[in-house]
Amino acid sequence: MNILNVTGIKKTYTTRFGSNKVHALKDVNFDVEEGEFVAIMGESGSGKTTLLNLLAAFDKPTSGTIKIDGKELVDLKDNALASYRREHLGFVFQDFNLLDTLCVKDNILLPIVLSGKNVKDYKEKLDKISSDIGISDIMRKYPYEISGGQKQRVAVARALITSPKMILADEPTGALDSQSSDDLLRVFGRINKQGQTILMVTHSVSAASHANRILFIKDGVVYHQIYRGELSDEELYKKISDTLTMLRKGGEN
């Protein structure tokens, strides 16, 4: 069952005085099945971050449709869109986006507070998520008191607390050292095996090699894709590297 359908997406930006148009996305088409872990790769300027912003409903496409669990995002009004985003999508960003004035526990529960729900109803879920991700011992600490890797795991917990249909991650390992990156990707692997759909934009071959499928964006279109199949992380790493080399040369894999 597809949880995400992207059809004919185009995104055109007009420069300040309207003299030039930039075609960030030209004709993007793909589907994501429920429970998939998909990585999106591409060189700077390829359109991958623009695509993620559209999927996150932070921006609207110039044309085309985006359906999440059958719901057409383009048709939603701003208030309904904000509510849908908060309750059905989870976000993990490179810079964590945690509030230093709130402790770890309150940062995780913030989406619940913003939704107007009773946080007491989420105690059991909060305990389970924090235990699964390995942050139970830092719940009373503040973001400035913990490491980058811990901050990112807190961000993952915050993304999971609403039971989102899909987690959208934008370069989640970009600000982490190699050990913290590996720890985070193992967390992603565990929650994906539990059925969580994940869509991750990354420039890291190592990060992408943990996904089940990799989409390559080039010149505003989905240029190529790789399925893991029976490949190991190491074999997938090599195939991704070879594909990126081919794309840079303008060839086909």
Side-chain angles (χ1 to χ4, degrees):
M1 175 181 169
N2 290 334
I3 194 169
L4 173 66
N5 303 96
V6 177
T7 307
I9 287 296
K10 298 180 181 179
K11 183 61 180 179
T12 301
Y13 294 100
T14 303
T15 55
R16 183 178 178 185
F17 298 106
S19 56
N20 293 305
K21 291 186 177 182
V22 177
H23 302 286
L25 296 173
K26 297 177 182 176
D27 186 19
V28 175
N29 300 274
F30 67 94
D31 299 323
V32 174
E33 291 185 6
E34 187 173 2
E36 265 199 289
F37 182 0
V38 178
I40 299 176
M41 302 193 78
E43 295 183 297
S44 295
S46 62
K48 60 185 187 297
T49 297
T50 297
L51 175 60
L52 193 72
N53 286 336
L54 295 178
L55 299 179
F58 292 141
D59 197 1
K60 292 188 177 183
T62 303
S63 62
T65 61
I66 298 171
K67 292 183 179 180
I68 297 179
D69 207 23
K71 184 175 290 290
E72 173 56 70
L73 297 189
V74 176
D75 293 339
L76 295 178
K77 301 297 183 183
D78 288 346
N79 287 343
L81 194 59
S83 177
Y84 184 86
R85 185 192 304 124
R86 185 170 55 244
E87 295 183 15
H88 298 294
L89 298 176
F91 303 99
V92 182
F93 301 99
Q94 178 177 337
D95 58 0
F96 320 128
N97 282 9
L98 302 179
L99 298 179
D100 277 340
T101 54
L102 299 180
C103 67
V104 164
K105 176 183 176 181
D106 290 342
N107 265 287
I108 296 171
L109 290 172
L110 185 59
I112 304 302
V113 174
L114 294 175
S115 297
K117 298 175 181 177
N118 191 339
V119 297
K120 292 180 180 179
D121 296 336
Y122 287 80
K123 182 183 184 306
E124 185 176 338
K125 185 172 185 181
L126 176 65
D127 290 344
K128 184 180 186 308
I129 290 174
S130 60
S131 177
D132 288 347
I133 294 180
I135 56 172
S136 297
D137 58 336
I138 62 168
M139 298 296 281
R140 290 296 178 184
K141 291 188 176 182
Y142 287 80
Y144 56 82
E145 297 178 304
I146 60 179
S147 69
Q150 290 172 320
K151 289 177 183 178
Q152 197 58 293
R153 278 183 279 164
V154 172
V156 172
R158 181 185 57 194
L160 288 171
I161 195 68
T162 58
S163 300
K165 298 182 183 300
M166 186 164 55
I167 284 183
L168 302 175
D170 188 9
E171 301 284 7
T173 63
L176 305 179
D177 58 38
S178 59
Q179 182 59 56
S180 296
S181 295
D182 289 343
D183 289 344
L184 175 68
L185 293 166
R186 279 193 288 270
V187 168
F188 274 178
R190 286 201 303 273
I191 63 176
N192 175 244
K193 286 179 180 177
Q194 294 169 6
Q196 179 65 58
T197 307
I198 303 173
L199 195 64
M200 173 179 69
V201 163
T202 183
H203 68 277
S204 167
V205 177
S206 178
S209 64
H210 285 74
N212 305 123
R213 178 162 55 120
I214 300 91
L215 300 177
F216 297 88
I217 305 291
K218 180 179 173 66
D219 298 329
V221 300
V222 177
Y223 192 82
H224 187 66
Q225 63 180 322
I226 295 174
Y227 286 88
R228 171 183 290 277
E230 299 300 319
L231 297 175
S232 66
D233 286 356
E234 293 76 15
E235 291 169 330
L236 186 57
Y237 184 103
K238 185 178 186 307
K239 195 164 186 178
I240 294 169
S241 297
D242 291 345
T243 300
L244 288 173
T245 299
M246 291 289 262
L247 293 180
R248 292 188 189 105
K249 291 179 179 178
E252 301 219 10
N253 200 17

